[in-house]
Amino acid sequence: MKSIIRQRKQSLKPIETKDKSIEASEEEPLSPSSRLFHEPNFNVHVLAILGMKTRISTEQAPREHLANTLLKHPRFSSLQVVDEEKGGEMKWVRTKVDLDQHIIVPQIDEQNLKESPDKFVENYIHNLSKTTLDKSKPMWDLHLLNIKTSDAEAVAIFRIHHSLGDGTSLISLLLACTRQTADPNKVPSIHGNKKSLIDSSEHSNKGLRRYVTKIWSFMKLFWNTIVDVLMFMSTTMFLKDTNTPIKGKPGSESNPRRFVYRTISLDDIKLVKNALNMTVTDVALGVTQAGLSIYLNRRYGEGKKDRGATEKNNNLPKNIRLRSTILMNLRPAVGIQALTDMMEKDTEAKSGNWIGFVLFPLKVALRDDPLDYIREAKATIDRKKNSLEAYYTYSISELALKIFGIKTSSSISHRTITNTTMCFSCLPGPEEEICFYGHALAYIAPGSYGQPHALMINCQSYVNKMTFVLSVDESVIPDPHQLLDDLEQSLKLIKEAVVERGLCHE
């Protein structure tokens, strides 16, 4: 395995090239956000771990499919180079792609699989996170592991540099390369949580009441935005989260990451969602709050004599401040069909990083009623929906970039993130089984490494499943599988509470 992995560097320098294979006529400057991800403290790589239901054909088939799909996207067939004539400005420059340099099929010693194939794959990804992508070629690669694990016949790992786009758009692009298993001519269908900022019932009001409602809604939006922007600026300058056992230490972004994931029933989440009139994201975030509360309570109780009794007691300090940083791409969403048309018909579809910050407070406490975790999560989400925080934090970041330059802007963004605790996302996935170049998928598990947080939680739905993916710095969180157990147990307790109270209609 070591032969295919380069040692990770602490600092990346953009390459300078005058290679004649580059098509100089097709050049485009990198966005400020894309340039930010080339700074040493923001060298983030996005991973998409794909479990396959069949063994992967590692010969010609993947190369032919990639050449006709993914390579049609300009970001995946472009170098990121420095134009010294324009003061070191970075730009995208199209080049010819040698797929043999991007598709990696490691030679695996069968002896290494006897103990645990699952652990081998986990360690492979952990070692991958010690490395960076080579900037002398388009910054992505695909690792194919024909290893039978507990939940898949084989595993494919896409690794993409964050400068190519945000995680959501990159996952959407990969899904645009797939087709429905039942109908190979159809792209996946995805339905996210679509709720308006203001409840639709408010628009049915007539006369004076309607105008009063609109004015009140605007005032709430205005006030919430001011509060959120002030909180963002305070966090950038001095406001830090509580130093809990899951908060990263300085320099955590340079440490390798352990990726672990657990697939649970999406039907269980939907049962809670429908019973309480919420969204899948509300429930996923509520489960996350519950799981983190249980996990932190155990960590705070470490070292005490009676561990069994300690876990039942409340060991949590009062007034814990624990926030998740959510990076939101503000560029208008590009549908999977539009991305498919771009690759197949050479149409235009905008992509890339246009990122704003949202600081999301998580309430850590032991609750007697498991449903309180869900209700609190929904209240926080509803409050954040009624704010323009992401747009204003993006504008502030852009202003800092123009005034102070990329180095200072990177330092400001890094300080904001390190003053919070974790990162969370919940992405809707295909509602039907899909094939990736002829191979049916068992699960989809996205994540990333290179971020300052010691903990990242990604929730990804697929058909009737939801996969919780943890990316952790083991020097901070040495037992990520225990955290997965706590998340799974929290969903079980929440579902049982819903069923016992007769709130669901099965």
Side-chain angles (χ1 to χ4, degrees):
M1 188 187 302
K2 291 182 180 178
S3 63
I4 67 167
I5 294 180
R6 300 182 298 104
Q7 187 62 35
R8 190 173 181 186
K9 297 179 181 179
Q10 293 299 313
S11 178
L12 292 179
K13 295 182 179 180
I15 64 169
E16 302 172 28
T17 179
K18 295 182 180 179
D19 192 336
K20 293 181 180 180
S21 67
I22 296 174
E23 302 172 17
S25 60
E26 298 186 35
E27 299 180 358
E28 180 185 347
L30 267 70
S31 69
S33 296
S34 292
R35 289 169 56 198
L36 182 68
F37 287 111
H38 283 290
E39 291 302 300
N41 55 4
F42 267 110
N43 184 25
V44 181
H45 294 65
V46 178
L47 296 186
I49 306 166
L50 308 176
M52 306 292 186
K53 289 188 174 183
T54 58
R55 286 179 62 83
I56 304 170
S57 172
T58 58
E59 301 302 324
Q60 193 63 24
R63 290 166 174 79
E64 292 178 351
H65 287 301
L66 285 169
N68 294 322
T69 53
L70 203 62
L71 295 193
K72 297 291 185 69
H73 192 290
R75 296 292 182 264
F76 285 78
S77 55
S78 295
L79 299 175
Q80 302 178 43
V81 302
V82 169
D83 189 342
E84 293 295 347
E85 296 179 358
K86 295 185 178 180
E89 178 183 275
M90 293 187 69
K91 59 186 178 181
W92 301 99
V93 182
R94 295 295 287 268
T95 187
K96 294 180 181 179
V97 178
D98 181 2
L99 283 174
D100 288 333
Q101 295 184 5
H102 293 268
I103 299 177
I104 300 171
V105 185
Q107 296 297 319
I108 300 171
D109 186 350
E110 295 295 329
Q111 294 294 324
N112 295 330
L113 302 179
K114 287 186 176 180
E115 182 177 350
S116 172
D118 292 60
K119 193 66 177 179
F120 179 89
V121 172
E122 186 181 307
N123 288 335
Y124 183 94
I125 299 172
H126 178 260
N127 287 327
L128 197 63
S129 74
K130 299 175 182 177
T131 70
T132 59
L133 285 160
D134 185 356
K135 294 191 65 175
S136 66
K137 56 189 178 184
M139 299 187 72
W140 65 274
D141 57 22
L142 172 62
H143 298 250
L144 304 177
L145 307 179
N146 270 319
I147 299 174
K148 180 179 173 59
T149 64
S150 60
D151 47 13
E153 294 293 321
V155 178
I157 306 160
F158 254 110
R159 181 170 60 155
I160 307 165
H161 197 264
H162 210 318
S163 59
L164 273 66
D166 73 290
T168 302
S169 62
L170 291 174
I171 295 298
S172 296
L173 180 62
L174 292 181
L175 291 177
C177 297
T178 68
R179 295 294 181 270
Q180 296 183 21
T181 302
D183 188 347
N185 294 319
K186 289 186 177 181
V187 298
S189 58
I190 298 177
H191 299 289
N193 298 322
K194 297 181 180 179
K195 284 201 170 187
S196 60
L197 190 64
I198 301 172
D199 194 283
S200 59
S201 62
E202 295 175 353
H203 295 283
S204 63
N205 296 329
K206 296 181 180 180
L208 180 61
R209 184 178 177 184
R210 177 183 179 184
Y211 289 107
V212 170
T213 300
K214 283 188 174 182
I215 292 172
W216 175 243
S217 298
F218 174 78
M219 291 175 63
K220 286 197 298 182
L221 179 68
F222 180 76
W223 175 253
N224 290 341
T225 301
I226 290 177
V227 172
D228 289 342
V229 170
L230 289 175
M231 183 64 70
F232 170 80
M233 296 176 68
S234 299
T235 301
T236 299
M237 292 185 287
F238 61 87
L239 187 63
K240 297 181 180 181
D241 278 7
T242 304
N243 190 25
T244 64
I246 63 172
K247 194 173 188 305
K249 306 296 188 295
S252 181
E253 63 271 10
S254 300
N255 295 339
R257 290 298 190 265
R258 176 72 60 179
F259 289 80
V260 298
Y261 40 92
R262 182 77 52 84
T263 299
I264 60 179
S265 171
L266 182 59
D267 291 335
D268 288 347
I269 291 178
K270 288 183 175 180
L271 182 146
V272 177
K273 171 186 86 75
N274 295 332
L276 301 179
N277 190 27
M278 297 182 178
T279 67
V280 169
T281 300
D282 293 337
V283 179
L285 191 60
V287 169
T288 298
Q289 286 191 151
L292 287 175
S293 297
I294 295 171
Y295 179 80
L296 282 171
N297 188 62
R298 182 186 300 105
R299 289 287 299 271
Y300 274 112
E302 288 178 350
K304 297 184 178 180
K305 292 183 179 180
D306 189 347
R307 183 172 180 178
T310 296
E311 291 185 5
K312 296 179 182 179
N313 296 333
N314 189 343
N315 305 303
L316 296 171
K318 294 182 179 179
N319 302 319
I320 290 178
R321 180 188 294 115
L322 193 155
R323 293 171 295 173
S324 170
T325 302
I326 300 176
L327 302 181
M328 296 184 62
N329 191 358
L330 304 178
R331 188 184 293 277
V334 178
I336 288 181
Q337 186 61 57
L339 291 169
T340 302
D341 292 342
M342 178 195 66
M343 292 184 286
E344 293 182 351
K345 303 176 182 178
D346 199 25
T347 59
E348 183 178 353
K350 293 183 178 181
S351 61
N353 294 293
W354 187 16
I355 294 173
F357 290 90
V358 172
L359 303 183
F360 198 97
L362 295 167
K363 297 182 179 180
V364 177
L366 296 184
R367 306 296 187 196
D368 294 328
D369 183 357
L371 299 187
D372 284 345
Y373 293 110
I374 307 294
R375 296 188 184 104
E376 290 171 346
K378 176 176 172 53
T380 306
I381 290 176
D382 289 347
R383 157 67 177 76
K384 286 293 182 178
K385 284 179 180 177
N386 205 1
S387 171
L388 300 177
E389 177 182 5
Y391 292 92
Y392 278 92
T393 55
Y394 168 76
S395 299
I396 292 171
S397 300
E398 286 290 288
L399 182 63
L401 180 63
K402 291 178 180 179
I403 296 176
F404 303 111
I406 188 69
K407 296 292 183 183
T408 303
S409 179
S410 169
S411 177
I412 292 173
S413 298
H414 183 266
R415 184 179 178 86
T416 303
I417 292 177
T418 54
N419 282 348
T420 60
T421 301
M422 58 172 286
C423 188
F424 173 88
S425 73
C426 185
L427 301 176
E431 297 182 333
E432 59 284 302
E433 184 180 86
I434 58 175
C435 287
F436 183 73
Y437 301 140
H439 302 282
L441 295 188
Y443 63 83
I444 305 170
S448 68
Y449 67 87
Q451 64 273 5
H453 291 132
L455 172 63
M456 169 180 277
I457 300 180
N458 299 95
C459 305
Q460 175 70 60
S461 68
Y462 173 53
V463 195
N464 59 350
K465 304 172 183 177
M466 173 72 84
T467 301
F468 278 79
V469 188
L470 308 186
S471 168
V472 307
D473 178 351
E474 283 188 299
S475 68
V476 178
I477 303 174
D479 53 351
H481 289 282
Q482 179 61 63
L483 179 52
L484 283 177
D485 291 341
D486 292 334
L487 291 170
E488 187 174 19
Q489 179 64 18
S490 295
L491 176 60
K492 180 181 178 182
L493 293 174
I494 290 168
K495 177 190 173 185
E496 288 176 351
V498 167
V499 174
E500 288 174 0
R501 299 176 195 183
L503 300 176
C504 61
H505 303 283
E506 298 183 286

